[in-house]
Amino acid sequence: MGETYEERGSRFDGAIVWTRQLPGGPARPVLPDGCIDLLWTDGRLLVAGPDTHAYVTPAAAGGLFTGIRFAPGTAPALLGVPADELRDRRVELSDLWPAAQVRVLAERVADAADPAAALEDLALRRAAGAAPPDPLIRSVVRQLAQGRSVAATAGSAGLGPRQLHRRSLAAFGYGPKTLARILRLQRALALVQAGRPYAEAALAAGCADQAHLAREMRELAGTTLSAYCEAPANSETAQPSGSSTTA
């Protein structure tokens, strides 16, 4: 049986609930998307931090992975950890929260008829007692996702470049320029997936030209446009928002 992937919108604002079944052996890479994931697999609760490059699940890691993917900037308040402490990392949730509490939560998810729904409930309960996402940060994400420049976004938010960079590190795990690059790549990949020609998708997404998009693919995604287009429809490399998994 091959790899399968499913996702749906979450009751947690802006989040996606997903499941991924891996058969074992080499797995397709997960592309950067600016998000942080809370995930459950093999009785463990883990956090996948924001990536700056494609993440490849270790070859031996097969099995079922269930996760909730939080929109950029929304997870740090829920987790109680600045995003830059999680950048390019996969960590046990017990490293962030009390181990006894996490053990109870993991058992609750494991015993649930629908682990994905149980994981979503966990996030919603936690969010009820946490500070809401900063509306200014959400505005920054929205503007960058629309292709607005970092300078214009900072000006609109009433922040200086250093202020925006500092707040972006805590919210996204990296500066606004990196987030803008990742969101632009995601826009381009969505257009390519929809059937737009490479050059047209590159310009529409905000790249200077097709060669610019090709460089971004190599640097951020670790693959080429051709490999992306040839990937099966259920692979993470063939989805604008890839879910994060770990061993």
Side-chain angles (χ1 to χ4, degrees):
M1 182 177 178
E3 175 183 332
T4 61
Y5 174 80
E6 296 180 355
E7 67 175 37
R8 64 170 174 81
S10 172
R11 289 172 288 145
F12 191 103
D13 188 24
I16 296 293
V17 177
W18 57 266
T19 58
R20 186 185 186 195
Q21 180 72 52
L22 295 179
R28 298 179 181 89
V30 178
L31 274 56
D33 57 11
C35 301
I36 292 175
D37 292 57
L38 174 64
L39 57 116
W40 177 85
T41 183
D42 194 25
R44 302 158 60 200
L45 286 168
L46 307 108
V47 174
D51 291 322
T52 58
H53 51 75
Y55 175 79
V56 180
T57 303
L64 177 67
F65 296 82
T66 297
I68 179 167
R69 184 169 66 244
F70 301 101
T74 61
L78 181 142
L79 296 173
V81 180
D84 55 331
E85 293 187 13
L86 302 171
R87 182 176 56 241
D88 292 322
R89 297 178 63 200
R90 271 66 181 158
V91 302
E92 300 279 349
L93 184 61
S94 56
D95 291 341
L96 309 179
W97 296 358
Q101 176 189 5
V102 172
R103 187 162 51 250
V104 171
L105 294 173
E107 291 173 355
R108 187 177 299 164
V109 175
D111 292 340
D114 183 350
L119 192 66
E120 183 180 26
D121 288 340
L122 185 164
L124 288 167
R125 287 194 299 270
R126 177 77 178 189
D134 186 344
L136 185 146
I137 288 298
R138 301 190 77 161
S139 174
V140 167
V141 175
R142 184 169 58 253
Q143 292 184 62
L144 293 179
Q146 292 171 348
R148 199 168 191 188
S149 71
V150 171
T153 299
S156 176
L159 298 174
R162 291 184 179 180
Q163 289 177 304
L164 178 59
H165 186 81
R166 183 172 62 252
R167 294 182 68 163
S168 293
L169 287 177
F172 313 128
Y174 27 64
K177 290 185 179 180
T178 298
L179 179 62
R181 289 179 65 202
I182 288 171
L183 295 178
R184 182 176 61 201
L185 179 63
Q186 289 288 341
R187 290 195 301 274
L189 295 183
L191 292 169
V192 169
Q193 185 182 28
R196 299 277 286 274
Y198 294 169
E200 185 178 320
L203 292 175
C207 294
D209 50 29
Q210 183 177 330
H212 182 194
L213 175 57
R215 290 193 299 272
E216 295 290 83
M217 285 291 292
R218 288 193 298 270
E219 293 178 16
L220 295 173
T223 188
T224 65
L225 282 167
S226 295
Y228 168 80
C229 292
E230 292 167 2
N234 66 349
S235 75
E236 260 60 334
T237 53
Q239 300 197 29
S241 297
S243 61
S244 300
T245 58
T246 186

